[in-house]
Amino acid sequence: MTNLELSKLDLEHIWHPCTQMSDHENFPIIPIRSGKGAVLSDFDGNEYIDCVSSWWVNIFGHSNEYISAKLSEQAMNLEHVIMAGFSHEGIIKLSNRLINLLPKPLNKCFYGDNGSSAIEIALKMSYHKNLLLGKNKPLFLNLKNSYHGETIAALSVGDVELYKKIYKNILIKTVQTKVPMNFKGMEVSDEEALNDLKNVLENHHEQLSAFILEPLVQCAGDMNMYSADFVKKACVLAKSYDVDIIFDEVAVGFGRTGSLFALELCDIVPDFLCLSKGITGGYLPLSVVVTSDRIYNEFYGTYESNKAFLHSHSYTGNALACACANATLDIFEKENVIEKNKELSKFIKSEFSKLLKYDFIDNFRQTGMILAFDLVNFKQKRMGHLIYKQALQKGLLLRPLANTIYFMPPYVITKEQVCYVVSVLDELLSKLR
């Protein structure tokens, strides 16, 4: 079948995520036939460089031969087993490997099946743990401009109005504090943000269960980036007021920021670490919340004492997903990925810097394998969407955040492909004035 035929069938029954479906009345859905490395191919033979790792998950590209082989091998042995009272070799191996890669005291893994579920787990654990300690703390603290997912509790601790505003009457109660930023017409310094945080903690700490933040990069928050120094000082301050720390590394974990986990760069160990997306190399849904024996032991007791953490997902610890996660860690171990990414990120910055000749590009920024810039001073509100549509015609899959253009590719992207991406953007940007 052709792209157009499949697109028509798609629109008869499929409601796409984060999409205003009316956009597709005159702009067809693109059905993808196959993928290899950083390239996707449709049913008409067109190819697209995946500049966004298909929502930041395919860190080692599409149809990775090693991960595919391990997935196939696992599928012939065990596809899934209930994780209540049972286990399997893959998840035991994965958990031990994760703990060996993380700093102490992180040493207990609780699994979910996507990033939002990991956030929900961490929020519930923190609140429940405090309740067991005789502290009723019904509020959570988050940074302005943050995003943590779209289930109700995860949405509650985020601050992207586009997703959150309409549901305000059914969200859980939260408190927000300023975040360092230098875009959207706002300038907030580290010092100003830390002073605001201190004031918030002084006024609300007795009710605050946990402080949740994305270390280094607010990805869905238009790729706002802030320093490791701010993250460390903010977390130390929150801990001094007896507030738990939740790190949302769903998007920034597994090599995206320049180290395997962003917490390494921040020199801080959270009470709860949420991981997902790149954990399986983009193959299957899986998430994990990693915490400590100190917190785990608070739940150790009897059902009658309300100590059991009664949270579950049908596909918790899925054997196929764990096989992909173990394969992903194998690649990190065997191929010196972090060091290669450091070199590649320098090349990416050098190439994209060629676009700085345009006076409508502002806030050019990079953290590891994430680069972004903003299109400013345009009357048209959806300049990013315009670039998205035009880039598709040139073989690029971009997915701008409003007027923020970002580049978050698979780690296997070649330098030649990076150069092509920049050349296409240069051509498109040259026509905007």
Side-chain angles (χ1 to χ4, degrees):
M1 298 181 75
T2 66
N3 279 1
L4 187 58
E5 290 169 334
L6 286 166
S7 180
K8 288 180 178 179
L9 284 174
D10 174 291
L11 293 174
E12 287 183 15
H13 301 293
I14 300 175
W15 191 345
H16 289 259
C18 280
T19 301
Q20 174 46 259
M21 295 303 295
S22 65
D23 282 348
H24 293 290
E25 289 179 5
N26 302 304
F27 186 67
I29 294 287
I30 299 175
I32 295 300
R33 185 185 194 117
S34 62
K36 188 65 181 175
V39 177
L40 296 164
S41 301
D42 68 19
F43 283 79
D44 290 346
N46 302 306
E47 293 186 340
Y48 310 88
I49 296 176
D50 188 350
C51 300
V52 298
S53 303
S54 288
W55 257 338
W56 320 336
V57 299
N58 289 91
I59 57 176
F60 294 126
H62 301 277
S63 301
N64 181 282
E65 291 183 5
Y66 183 76
I67 302 176
S68 295
K70 291 298 183 180
L71 173 59
S72 178
E73 180 183 311
Q74 182 64 46
M76 298 304 293
N77 183 43
L78 174 69
E79 79 299 332
H80 185 63
V81 65
I82 183 175
M83 282 298 294
F86 288 81
S87 190
H88 57 85
E89 185 178 11
I91 198 169
I92 295 169
K93 181 180 178 181
L94 175 61
S95 301
N96 278 274
R97 295 177 79 180
L98 286 173
I99 296 309
N100 287 332
L101 291 168
L102 290 165
K104 295 180 180 179
L106 296 175
N107 65 344
K108 282 292 190 295
C109 299
F110 193 102
Y111 288 87
D113 52 17
N114 62 74
S116 293
S117 70
I119 300 301
E120 302 267 342
I121 289 164
L123 296 173
K124 287 176 65 177
M125 274 187 180
S126 176
Y127 173 75
H128 192 163
K129 179 267 298 181
N130 279 312
L131 211 57
L132 291 171
L133 292 171
K135 295 178 280 189
N136 183 19
K137 294 186 163 189
L139 302 181
F140 294 94
L141 175 64
N142 67 287
L143 293 174
K144 292 183 180 296
N145 193 59
S146 59
Y147 173 90
H148 299 288
E150 292 164 38
T151 51
I152 293 300
L155 194 63
S156 300
V157 293
D159 184 43
V160 179
E161 187 177 273
L162 177 66
Y163 306 111
K164 183 175 181 176
K165 183 178 180 180
I166 194 70
Y167 305 108
K168 64 180 181 180
N169 291 333
I170 59 172
L171 301 179
I172 64 174
K173 296 178 181 179
T174 60
V175 179
Q176 291 182 349
T177 186
K178 291 182 179 179
V179 62
M181 62 165 51
N182 185 30
F183 72 127
K184 292 185 175 180
M186 296 181 64
E187 290 189 12
V188 179
S189 66
D190 285 16
E191 183 180 7
E192 182 181 349
L194 289 168
N195 286 336
D196 189 56
L197 173 62
K198 186 175 182 180
N199 290 333
V200 169
L201 289 167
E202 286 177 349
N203 291 324
H204 300 284
H205 69 275
E206 292 183 353
Q207 289 188 295
L208 288 172
S209 189
F211 175 33
I212 182 169
L213 68 159
E214 304 152 275
L216 301 180
V217 186
Q218 294 180 313
C219 291
D222 295 339
M223 296 296 166
N224 182 40
M225 301 178 185
Y226 38 82
S227 69
D229 184 61
F230 165 76
V231 174
K232 183 173 183 177
K233 288 178 178 177
C235 292
V236 169
L237 185 58
K239 289 298 293 181
S240 72
Y241 282 88
D242 190 32
V243 176
D244 290 339
I245 305 297
I246 300 173
F247 268 13
D248 176 357
E249 290 211 31
V250 169
V252 300
F254 296 98
R256 189 56 78 174
T257 62
S259 59
L260 188 58
F261 302 108
L263 61 82
E264 298 170 50
L265 298 172
C266 299
D267 190 28
I268 197 82
V269 182
D271 298 287
F272 304 92
L273 173 65
C274 300
L275 301 170
S276 190
K277 287 192 183 290
I279 192 171
T280 66
Y283 269 67
L284 287 168
L286 183 70
S287 66
V288 61
V289 177
V290 190
T291 189
S292 64
D293 273 338
R294 177 181 64 83
I295 290 170
Y296 170 85
N297 288 337
E298 293 299 333
F299 292 85
Y300 205 88
T302 64
Y303 282 100
E304 289 75 18
S305 62
N306 292 320
K307 281 181 171 284
F309 186 63
L310 301 179
H311 183 103
S312 63
H313 298 270
S314 300
Y315 283 90
T316 290
N318 176 258
L320 298 176
C322 288
C324 294
N326 276 309
T328 296
L329 291 182
D330 288 345
I331 295 173
F332 273 107
E333 289 179 4
K334 295 175 181 178
E335 299 187 11
N336 200 19
V337 174
I338 301 301
E339 290 306 311
K340 289 180 179 178
N341 278 0
K342 289 179 181 178
E343 178 187 348
L344 183 55
S345 65
K346 289 179 182 178
F347 180 80
I348 289 170
K349 184 176 183 179
S350 175
E351 286 299 304
F352 272 80
S353 293
K354 296 175 181 178
L355 303 176
L356 289 172
K357 61 188 177 184
Y358 297 107
D359 62 3
F360 50 80
I361 286 181
D362 191 28
N363 196 22
F364 186 87
R365 55 203 184 274
Q366 184 186 36
T367 298
M369 288 291 289
I370 308 172
L371 184 141
F373 58 86
D374 304 323
L375 302 178
V376 298
N377 300 324
F378 288 95
K379 291 182 180 179
Q380 185 172 332
K381 291 184 177 180
R382 301 187 72 193
M383 289 303 299
H385 188 67
L386 175 65
I387 293 293
Y388 165 71
K389 292 194 293 184
Q390 292 178 344
L392 283 174
Q393 304 305 314
K394 300 288 185 178
L396 302 186
L397 168 54
L398 296 167
R399 190 176 169 85
L401 295 155
N403 288 340
T404 295
I405 309 295
Y406 72 90
F407 188 58
M408 201 166 172
Y411 305 157
V412 297
I413 195 167
T414 66
K415 290 183 177 180
E416 291 75 18
Q417 288 168 332
V418 172
C419 290
Y420 179 74
V421 171
V422 173
S423 69
V424 170
L425 280 170
D426 192 6
E427 178 186 349
L428 298 180
L429 293 173
S430 70
K431 298 175 182 178
L432 291 185
R433 287 287 193 231

Coordinates of all heavy atoms in Angstrom, one line a residue, residues 329-394:
L329 N 22.6 -2.1 28.0 CA 23.7 -2.0 28.9 C 25.0 -2.7 28.4 O 26.1 -2.2 28.5 CB 23.4 -2.5 30.3 CG 22.4 -1.7 31.1 CD1 22.2 -2.4 32.5 CD2 22.8 -0.3 31.3
D330 N 24.8 -3.8 27.7 CA 25.9 -4.5 27.0 C 26.6 -3.5 26.0 O 27.8 -3.4 26.0 CB 25.4 -5.7 26.2 CG 25.0 -6.8 27.1 OD1 25.3 -6.8 28.3 OD2 24.3 -7.8 26.6
I331 N 25.8 -2.8 25.3 CA 26.4 -1.9 24.3 C 27.1 -0.7 25.0 O 28.2 -0.4 24.5 CB 25.3 -1.3 23.4 CG1 24.6 -2.4 22.5 CG2 25.8 -0.2 22.4 CD1 23.4 -2.0 21.7
F332 N 26.6 -0.2 26.0 CA 27.3 0.8 26.8 C 28.7 0.3 27.2 O 29.7 1.0 27.2 CB 26.5 1.3 28.0 CG 25.5 2.4 27.7 CD1 24.2 2.2 27.6 CD2 26.0 3.7 27.5 CE1 23.3 3.2 27.3 CE2 25.1 4.7 27.2 CZ 23.8 4.5 27.1
E333 N 28.7 -1.0 27.7 CA 29.9 -1.5 28.3 C 30.9 -1.8 27.2 O 32.1 -1.6 27.3 CB 29.6 -2.8 29.0 CG 28.9 -2.6 30.3 CD 28.5 -3.9 31.0 OE1 29.0 -5.0 30.5 OE2 27.9 -3.9 32.1
K334 N 30.5 -2.3 26.0 CA 31.4 -2.8 25.0 C 31.9 -1.7 24.0 O 33.0 -1.8 23.5 CB 30.7 -3.9 24.2 CG 30.4 -5.1 24.9 CD 29.6 -6.1 24.1 CE 29.2 -7.4 24.8 NZ 28.4 -8.3 24.0
E335 N 31.1 -0.6 23.9 CA 31.4 0.3 22.8 C 31.9 1.7 23.3 O 31.9 2.6 22.4 CB 30.2 0.4 21.9 CG 29.9 -0.9 21.2 CD 28.8 -0.8 20.1 OE1 28.4 0.4 19.8 OE2 28.3 -1.8 19.7
N336 N 32.2 1.9 24.5 CA 32.7 3.1 25.0 C 31.8 4.3 24.6 O 32.3 5.4 24.1 CB 34.1 3.4 24.5 CG 34.9 4.4 25.3 OD1 34.5 4.7 26.5 ND2 35.9 4.9 24.7
V337 N 30.5 4.1 24.8 CA 29.5 5.1 24.3 C 29.7 6.5 24.8 O 29.6 7.5 24.1 CB 28.1 4.5 24.5 CG1 27.0 5.5 24.1 CG2 27.9 3.2 23.8
I338 N 29.9 6.6 26.1 CA 29.9 7.9 26.7 C 31.1 8.8 26.1 O 30.8 9.9 25.8 CB 30.1 7.8 28.3 CG1 28.9 7.0 28.9 CG2 30.2 9.2 28.9 CD1 27.6 7.6 28.6
E339 N 32.2 8.2 26.0 CA 33.3 8.9 25.4 C 33.1 9.3 23.9 O 33.4 10.4 23.5 CB 34.6 8.1 25.5 CG 35.1 8.0 27.0 CD 35.3 9.4 27.6 OE1 35.9 10.3 27.0 OE2 34.8 9.5 28.8
K340 N 32.5 8.3 23.2 CA 32.2 8.6 21.8 C 31.1 9.7 21.7 O 31.2 10.6 20.8 CB 31.6 7.4 21.1 CG 32.7 6.3 20.9 CD 32.1 5.1 20.2 CE 33.1 4.0 19.9 NZ 32.6 2.8 19.3
N341 N 30.2 9.7 22.6 CA 29.2 10.8 22.6 C 29.8 12.2 22.9 O 29.3 13.2 22.3 CB 28.1 10.5 23.7 CG 27.0 9.5 23.2 OD1 27.1 9.1 22.0 ND2 26.1 9.2 24.0
K342 N 30.8 12.2 23.8 CA 31.5 13.5 24.1 C 32.1 14.1 22.8 O 32.0 15.3 22.5 CB 32.5 13.3 25.1 CG 31.9 13.0 26.5 CD 33.0 12.8 27.6 CE 32.4 12.5 28.9 NZ 33.4 12.3 30.0
E343 N 32.7 13.2 22.0 CA 33.3 13.7 20.8 C 32.2 14.1 19.8 O 32.3 15.2 19.1 CB 34.2 12.6 20.2 CG 34.8 12.9 18.8 CD 35.5 11.8 18.1 OE1 35.7 10.7 18.8 OE2 35.8 11.9 16.9
L344 N 31.2 13.3 19.7 CA 30.1 13.6 18.7 C 29.4 14.9 19.1 O 29.0 15.7 18.2 CB 29.2 12.4 18.6 CG 28.0 12.5 17.6 CD1 28.5 12.8 16.2 CD2 27.2 11.2 17.7
S345 N 29.2 15.1 20.4 CA 28.5 16.3 20.8 C 29.3 17.5 20.5 O 28.7 18.6 20.1 CB 28.2 16.2 22.3 OG 29.3 16.3 23.1
K346 N 30.6 17.5 20.5 CA 31.4 18.6 20.1 C 31.2 18.9 18.6 O 31.2 20.1 18.2 CB 32.9 18.3 20.5 CG 33.2 18.3 22.0 CD 34.7 18.0 22.2 CE 35.0 18.0 23.7 NZ 36.4 17.6 23.9
F347 N 31.2 17.8 17.8 CA 31.0 18.0 16.4 C 29.7 18.6 16.1 O 29.5 19.5 15.2 CB 31.2 16.6 15.7 CG 31.0 16.7 14.2 CD1 32.1 17.1 13.4 CD2 29.8 16.4 13.6 CE1 31.9 17.2 12.0 CE2 29.7 16.4 12.2 CZ 30.7 16.9 11.5
I348 N 28.6 18.1 16.8 CA 27.3 18.6 16.6 C 27.2 20.1 16.9 O 26.7 20.9 16.1 CB 26.3 17.8 17.5 CG1 26.1 16.4 17.0 CG2 24.9 18.6 17.6 CD1 25.3 15.5 17.9
K349 N 27.8 20.5 18.0 CA 27.8 21.9 18.4 C 28.6 22.8 17.3 O 28.1 23.9 16.9 CB 28.5 22.1 19.7 CG 28.4 23.6 20.2 CD 29.0 23.7 21.6 CE 28.9 25.2 22.1 NZ 29.4 25.3 23.5
S350 N 29.7 22.3 16.8 CA 30.4 23.0 15.8 C 29.6 23.2 14.5 O 29.6 24.3 14.0 CB 31.7 22.2 15.5 OG 32.4 22.8 14.5
E351 N 28.9 22.1 14.1 CA 28.2 22.2 12.9 C 26.9 23.1 13.1 O 26.7 24.0 12.2 CB 27.7 20.8 12.5 CG 28.8 20.0 11.9 CD 29.4 20.6 10.6 OE1 28.6 20.9 9.6 OE2 30.6 20.8 10.6
F352 N 26.2 23.0 14.2 CA 25.0 23.8 14.4 C 25.4 25.2 14.6 O 24.5 26.1 14.4 CB 24.2 23.2 15.5 CG 23.2 22.2 15.1 CD1 23.6 20.9 14.9 CD2 21.9 22.5 14.9 CE1 22.7 19.9 14.5 CE2 21.0 21.5 14.6 CZ 21.4 20.2 14.3
S353 N 26.6 25.5 15.1 CA 27.0 26.9 15.3 C 27.0 27.7 14.0 O 26.9 28.9 14.0 CB 28.4 26.9 15.9 OG 28.4 26.4 17.2
K354 N 27.0 27.0 12.9 CA 27.0 27.7 11.6 C 25.7 28.4 11.3 O 25.6 29.3 10.5 CB 27.2 26.7 10.4 CG 28.6 26.0 10.4 CD 28.7 24.9 9.4 CE 30.1 24.3 9.4 NZ 30.2 23.2 8.4
L355 N 24.7 28.0 12.1 CA 23.3 28.7 12.0 C 23.2 30.0 12.8 O 22.2 30.7 12.6 CB 22.2 27.7 12.5 CG 22.2 26.3 11.8 CD1 21.1 25.4 12.4 CD2 21.9 26.5 10.3
L356 N 24.2 30.3 13.6 CA 24.2 31.5 14.4 C 24.3 32.8 13.6 O 24.1 33.9 14.2 CB 25.3 31.4 15.5 CG 25.0 30.4 16.6 CD1 26.3 30.3 17.5 CD2 23.8 30.7 17.4
K357 N 24.5 32.6 12.3 CA 24.5 33.8 11.4 C 23.1 34.5 11.3 O 23.0 35.6 10.9 CB 25.0 33.5 10.1 CG 24.1 32.4 9.3 CD 24.8 32.0 8.0 CE 24.0 30.9 7.4 NZ 24.7 30.3 6.2
Y358 N 22.1 33.7 11.7 CA 20.7 34.3 11.6 C 20.4 35.0 12.9 O 20.5 34.5 14.0 CB 19.7 33.1 11.4 CG 19.9 32.4 10.0 CD1 20.5 31.2 10.0 CD2 19.6 33.1 8.8 CE1 20.7 30.5 8.8 CE2 19.9 32.4 7.6 CZ 20.4 31.2 7.6 OH 20.6 30.5 6.4
D359 N 19.9 36.3 12.8 CA 19.7 37.1 13.9 C 18.4 36.7 14.7 O 18.1 37.2 15.8 CB 19.6 38.6 13.6 CG 18.5 38.9 12.6 OD1 17.7 38.0 12.2 OD2 18.4 40.1 12.1
F360 N 17.6 35.8 14.1 CA 16.4 35.4 14.8 C 16.6 34.1 15.6 O 15.6 33.5 16.1 CB 15.2 35.2 13.8 CG 15.6 34.4 12.6 CD1 15.6 33.0 12.6 CD2 15.9 35.0 11.4 CE1 15.9 32.2 11.5 CE2 16.2 34.3 10.2 CZ 16.2 32.9 10.3
I361 N 17.8 33.6 15.7 CA 18.1 32.5 16.5 C 18.7 33.0 17.8 O 19.6 33.8 17.9 CB 19.2 31.6 15.8 CG1 18.6 30.8 14.7 CG2 19.8 30.6 16.9 CD1 19.5 29.8 14.0
D362 N 18.1 32.5 18.9 CA 18.4 33.0 20.3 C 18.6 31.8 21.2 O 18.1 30.7 20.9 CB 17.3 33.9 20.8 CG 17.8 34.6 22.1 OD1 19.0 34.9 22.2 OD2 16.9 35.0 22.9
N363 N 19.3 32.0 22.3 CA 19.5 31.0 23.3 C 20.0 29.7 22.8 O 19.4 28.6 23.1 CB 18.2 30.8 24.1 CG 18.4 30.1 25.4 OD1 19.5 30.0 26.0 ND2 17.3 29.4 25.9
F364 N 21.0 29.7 22.0 CA 21.7 28.5 21.5 C 22.3 27.8 22.6 O 23.1 28.4 23.4 CB 22.8 29.0 20.5 CG 23.4 27.9 19.7 CD1 22.9 27.3 18.6 CD2 24.6 27.3 20.2 CE1 23.5 26.3 17.9 CE2 25.3 26.3 19.5 CZ 24.7 25.8 18.3
R365 N 22.0 26.5 22.8 CA 22.4 25.8 24.1 C 22.7 24.3 23.8 O 22.1 23.8 22.9 CB 21.4 26.0 25.2 CG 20.0 25.6 24.7 CD 18.9 26.3 25.6 NE 17.6 25.9 25.3 CZ 16.8 26.4 24.4 NH1 17.3 27.4 23.6 NH2 15.5 26.0 24.2
Q366 N 23.5 23.7 24.6 CA 23.7 22.3 24.5 C 24.1 21.7 25.8 O 24.8 22.3 26.6 CB 24.9 22.1 23.5 CG 25.2 20.6 23.2 CD 26.4 20.3 22.4 OE1 27.4 21.1 22.5 NE2 26.3 19.4 21.5
T367 N 23.6 20.5 26.1 CA 24.0 19.7 27.2 C 24.1 18.3 26.7 O 23.2 17.6 26.3 CB 22.9 19.7 28.4 OG1 22.8 21.0 28.9 CG2 23.4 18.7 29.5
G368 N 25.4 17.8 26.6 CA 25.6 16.5 26.1 C 25.1 16.3 24.7 O 25.4 17.1 23.8
M369 N 24.2 15.3 24.5 CA 23.7 15.0 23.2 C 22.3 15.6 23.0 O 21.4 15.1 22.3 CB 23.6 13.5 23.0 CG 24.9 12.8 22.8 SD 25.6 13.2 21.2 CE 24.6 12.2 20.1
I370 N 22.1 16.8 23.6 CA 20.9 17.6 23.4 C 21.4 19.0 23.0 O 22.1 19.7 23.7 CB 20.1 17.7 24.7 CG1 19.7 16.3 25.2 CG2 18.8 18.5 24.4 CD1 19.1 16.4 26.6
L371 N 20.9 19.5 21.8 CA 21.2 20.8 21.4 C 19.9 21.5 21.0 O 19.0 20.9 20.4 CB 22.2 20.8 20.2 CG 22.6 22.2 19.7 CD1 24.1 22.2 19.3 CD2 21.7 22.7 18.5
A372 N 19.8 22.8 21.3 CA 18.5 23.5 21.1 C 18.8 25.0 20.8 O 19.8 25.5 21.2 CB 17.5 23.3 22.2
F373 N 17.9 25.6 20.1 CA 17.9 27.0 19.9 C 16.4 27.5 19.7 O 15.6 26.7 19.3 CB 18.8 27.5 18.8 CG 18.5 26.9 17.4 CD1 17.5 27.5 16.6 CD2 19.1 25.8 17.0 CE1 17.2 27.0 15.4 CE2 18.8 25.2 15.7 CZ 17.9 25.8 14.9
D374 N 16.2 28.8 19.9 CA 14.8 29.3 19.8 C 14.7 30.3 18.6 O 15.7 31.0 18.2 CB 14.5 30.1 21.0 CG 14.6 29.3 22.3 OD1 14.2 28.1 22.2 OD2 15.0 29.9 23.3
L375 N 13.6 30.2 17.9 CA 13.3 31.2 16.8 C 12.5 32.3 17.5 O 11.4 32.1 18.1 CB 12.4 30.5 15.8 CG 13.0 29.2 15.1 CD1 12.1 28.6 14.1 CD2 14.4 29.6 14.4
V376 N 13.0 33.5 17.4 CA 12.4 34.7 18.1 C 12.0 35.8 17.1 O 12.5 35.8 16.0 CB 13.4 35.2 19.1 CG1 13.7 34.2 20.2 CG2 14.7 35.7 18.5
N377 N 11.1 36.6 17.6 CA 10.7 37.9 16.9 C 9.9 37.6 15.6 O 10.1 38.3 14.6 CB 11.9 38.8 16.6 CG 12.6 39.2 17.8 OD1 12.0 39.4 18.9 ND2 13.9 39.3 17.8
F378 N 9.1 36.5 15.6 CA 8.2 36.2 14.5 C 6.8 36.5 15.0 O 6.4 36.1 16.1 CB 8.4 34.8 14.0 CG 9.6 34.5 13.3 CD1 10.7 34.0 13.9 CD2 9.7 34.8 11.9 CE1 11.9 33.7 13.2 CE2 10.9 34.5 11.2 CZ 12.0 34.0 11.9
K379 N 6.0 37.0 14.1 CA 4.6 37.2 14.4 C 3.8 35.9 14.4 O 2.9 35.7 15.2 CB 3.9 38.2 13.4 CG 4.5 39.6 13.6 CD 3.8 40.6 12.6 CE 4.3 42.0 12.7 NZ 3.6 42.9 11.7
Q380 N 4.2 35.0 13.5 CA 3.5 33.7 13.4 C 3.8 32.9 14.6 O 5.0 32.8 15.1 CB 4.0 33.0 12.1 CG 3.3 31.7 11.9 CD 3.7 31.1 10.5 OE1 4.1 31.8 9.6 NE2 3.6 29.8 10.4
K381 N 2.8 32.4 15.2 CA 2.9 31.7 16.5 C 3.6 30.3 16.4 O 4.2 29.8 17.3 CB 1.6 31.5 17.2 CG 1.0 32.9 17.7 CD -0.2 32.7 18.5 CE -0.8 34.0 19.1 NZ -2.0 33.8 19.8
R382 N 3.3 29.6 15.2 CA 3.8 28.2 15.1 C 4.9 28.1 14.1 O 4.8 27.3 13.2 CB 2.6 27.3 14.7 CG 1.4 27.4 15.7 CD 0.3 26.4 15.3 NE 0.8 25.0 15.5 CZ 0.1 23.9 15.1 NH1 -1.0 24.1 14.3 NH2 0.6 22.7 15.3
M383 N 5.9 28.9 14.3 CA 7.1 28.8 13.4 C 7.7 27.4 13.5 O 8.2 26.8 12.5 CB 8.1 29.8 13.8 CG 7.7 31.2 13.4 SD 7.3 31.5 11.7 CE 8.9 31.0 10.9
G384 N 7.7 26.8 14.7 CA 8.3 25.5 14.8 C 7.6 24.4 14.0 O 8.2 23.6 13.4
H385 N 6.2 24.6 14.0 CA 5.4 23.6 13.2 C 5.7 23.8 11.7 O 5.7 22.8 10.9 CB 3.9 23.8 13.5 CG 3.0 22.8 12.9 ND1 3.1 21.5 13.3 CD2 2.1 22.8 11.9 CE1 2.2 20.8 12.6 NE2 1.6 21.6 11.7
L386 N 5.9 25.0 11.3 CA 6.2 25.3 9.9 C 7.5 24.6 9.5 O 7.7 24.0 8.5 CB 6.3 26.8 9.7 CG 6.8 27.2 8.3 CD1 5.8 26.8 7.2 CD2 7.0 28.8 8.2
I387 N 8.5 24.8 10.4 CA 9.8 24.1 10.1 C 9.7 22.6 10.1 O 10.3 21.9 9.3 CB 10.9 24.5 11.2 CG1 11.2 26.0 11.1 CG2 12.1 23.7 11.1 CD1 12.0 26.4 9.8
Y388 N 8.9 22.1 11.0 CA 8.6 20.6 11.0 C 8.1 20.1 9.7 O 8.6 19.1 9.1 CB 7.6 20.3 12.2 CG 7.0 19.0 12.1 CD1 7.7 17.8 12.4 CD2 5.6 18.8 11.8 CE1 7.1 16.6 12.4 CE2 5.0 17.6 11.7 CZ 5.8 16.4 12.0 OH 5.2 15.2 12.0
K389 N 7.1 20.8 9.2 CA 6.5 20.3 7.9 C 7.5 20.5 6.7 O 7.6 19.6 5.9 CB 5.2 21.1 7.6 CG 4.1 20.8 8.6 CD 2.8 21.3 8.1 CE 2.7 22.8 8.0 NZ 1.3 23.3 7.6
Q390 N 8.2 21.6 6.7 CA 9.2 21.8 5.6 C 10.3 20.8 5.7 O 10.8 20.3 4.7 CB 9.7 23.2 5.7 CG 8.6 24.3 5.3 CD 9.2 25.7 5.4 OE1 10.2 25.9 6.0 NE2 8.4 26.6 4.9
A391 N 10.8 20.5 7.0 CA 11.9 19.6 7.1 C 11.5 18.2 6.7 O 12.4 17.5 6.1 CB 12.3 19.6 8.6
L392 N 10.3 17.8 6.9 CA 9.9 16.5 6.4 C 10.0 16.3 4.9 O 10.4 15.3 4.4 CB 8.4 16.2 6.8 CG 8.1 15.8 8.2 CD1 6.6 15.8 8.5 CD2 8.8 14.5 8.6
Q393 N 9.8 17.4 4.2 CA 9.9 17.3 2.7 C 11.4 17.2 2.3 O 11.7 16.8 1.2 CB 9.4 18.6 2.1 CG 7.9 18.9 2.5 CD 7.0 17.8 2.1 OE1 7.1 17.2 1.0 NE2 6.1 17.4 3.1
K394 N 12.3 17.5 3.2 CA 13.7 17.4 3.0 C 14.4 16.2 3.6 O 15.6 16.0 3.6 CB 14.4 18.7 3.5 CG 14.0 20.0 2.8 CD 14.4 20.1 1.4 CE 14.0 21.4 0.8 NZ 14.5 21.5 -0.6

